[in-house]
Amino acid sequence: MMKKITVSLLILLLLQVCAYAQTKGFAYHANLDTVKEAGFYNIEISHTLNAHAKTDFSDVRIVNDSGKWVPHLLRLPAAERTDMAVYEIMPFERKEVSAASVTCVVKNRLTELSVIELLMRNTTAQRVCSISGSFDGSNWFIINDSIMLQSVAVTEGDKTICRISFPPSSYPYIKVVVDSKKTDPVNIISISAYTTAYAGIRKPLVQQIENPNCTITQKDSAKTSYIRVTQGQAYQFERLSLLVSGVKYFNRKVDMYVPQVDNHSFANPGRLHESFTISNNSTLQFTVPHIKTKVFYLLVNNDDNLPLTVNSVKTALRYRVLTAYLEKGKCQVFTEYEKIAPPVYDLTRLNARLPDSIPVLEMGTLIQDRSIVEEPMIAPKKDNRAFLWGAIILVLLALLYFSVKLTREVNKRKVTGNDKENNIL
């Protein structure tokens, strides 16, 4: 019995050591909300997290309650949309069939719609249909009232596909009414939207995560305005937006510089990172190469014009998430480890199909590991003047001692020499 207990304790100790080894070296960690049901979850890359991670986020880890890394994918949702044509099946809100017509009301989940397809049981009948749109499903507005179905029909097996084009519309509800010509109605199986993935689902998509406000210092010279922008931390960003005033009409070139040394200044702003043009008829929003820095400079070329006043500068990073399959329990996020190698997970190779809707797991406050970032103690400066004066006094005393001794030796020799002379005489 004692042997089993000893072995169990040893195994538990080894597991704790292994778990500690998995997380040792990370400077920050944060708790995630408790996972109540196993499945895929997204963890948002907030401005707090991006300030303590590499620009490729290769030093970020998701760790389970056993201290082991959980495989994850770094995803950029906006980049996952393409311009390739896709079909979106539009669910029926209601379908009514009568001797006079077939009426189908469907839910439009797309931001914009200009083509739909009707899937029907095989038919060669000529039919006229109308398309209407509505914001609430009750009040309708006509889009097109005389569309011939059979003229563009395509037969696939025992089904007929009729494609209908109309002016671009963003109504949340679409109504299709097919005239039966007082004969038997057509059998509509489904209605699909023919669109592009770029048009997107009506569900809002977060485009970017804004960093906290920046501090601005501006200095104007004869030809150039120098703006030093300071962020609260070294936040990552790839979007830049400005708010300027002072001149109604303007068109200026702006150079963005990033410091390379600690003693940077307006005269030594660092390395040129990007150039762009600001004008009164632009959005003053720009995309710059992805970078992580606390301070950067904007140099505005004024030529012979009056200088502009830069009222605010905002930075932002495109919306990113960490997607992982998590089991029930507690998890943490660890980050900021300069020397760690990027992880290699099977999840990136499997290219697993992810659910269309993945819940977001909230992340708590980042906690700093003091043992990793502990700054060395700097000894207070000592006043060495007393030591120096003491050393000088000792040297002077030593010189005095040897001088006196030397003088005595010289005098002694003189006396001895005189005595010898007197004896000879």
Side-chain angles (χ1 to χ4, degrees), residues 287-411:
T287 299
V288 299
H290 188 167
I291 192 171
K292 179 180 180 180
T293 182
K294 184 174 182 178
V295 180
F296 60 95
Y297 290 82
L298 299 176
L299 274 61
V300 183
N301 182 13
N302 296 321
D303 291 323
D304 298 320
N305 303 291
L306 291 173
L308 295 165
T309 300
V310 178
N311 302 111
S312 74
V313 177
K314 292 185 178 180
T315 62
L317 190 68
R318 285 188 295 170
Y319 183 71
R320 289 168 169 80
V321 294
L322 303 174
T323 302
Y325 187 88
L326 302 176
E327 301 291 346
K328 292 175 63 175
K330 295 183 179 296
C331 294
Q332 293 178 306
V333 170
F334 283 76
T335 187
E336 194 170 300
Y337 192 164
E338 186 63 32
K339 297 181 180 180
I340 197 168
V344 180
Y345 295 135
D346 291 334
L347 197 61
T348 57
R349 299 193 187 107
L350 294 176
N351 194 23
R353 175 173 171 76
L354 298 174
D356 294 330
S357 179
I358 300 177
V360 174
L361 205 59
E362 296 295 330
M363 185 179 71
T365 304
L366 281 178
I367 302 170
Q368 189 177 29
D369 186 348
R370 296 291 180 181
S371 65
I372 301 298
V373 295
E374 190 73 34
E375 294 184 359
M377 294 293 293
I378 300 175
K381 292 182 178 180
K382 296 180 179 179
D383 190 352
N384 295 323
R385 287 178 296 179
F387 172 79
L388 290 174
W389 281 111
I392 292 172
I393 291 172
L394 288 175
V395 171
L396 290 174
L397 289 174
L399 289 174
L400 179 62
Y401 169 76
F402 286 111
S403 297
V404 171
K405 186 176 181 180
L406 182 61
T407 302
R408 287 179 178 176
E409 288 291 333
V410 171
N411 292 334

Side-chain angles (χ1 to χ4, degrees), residues 210-226:
E210 288 192 356
N211 296 321
N213 292 334
C214 304
T215 303
I216 301 171
T217 304
Q218 180 168 343
K219 179 182 178 182
D220 300 317
S221 68
K223 297 284 186 179
T224 307
S225 292
Y226 300 87

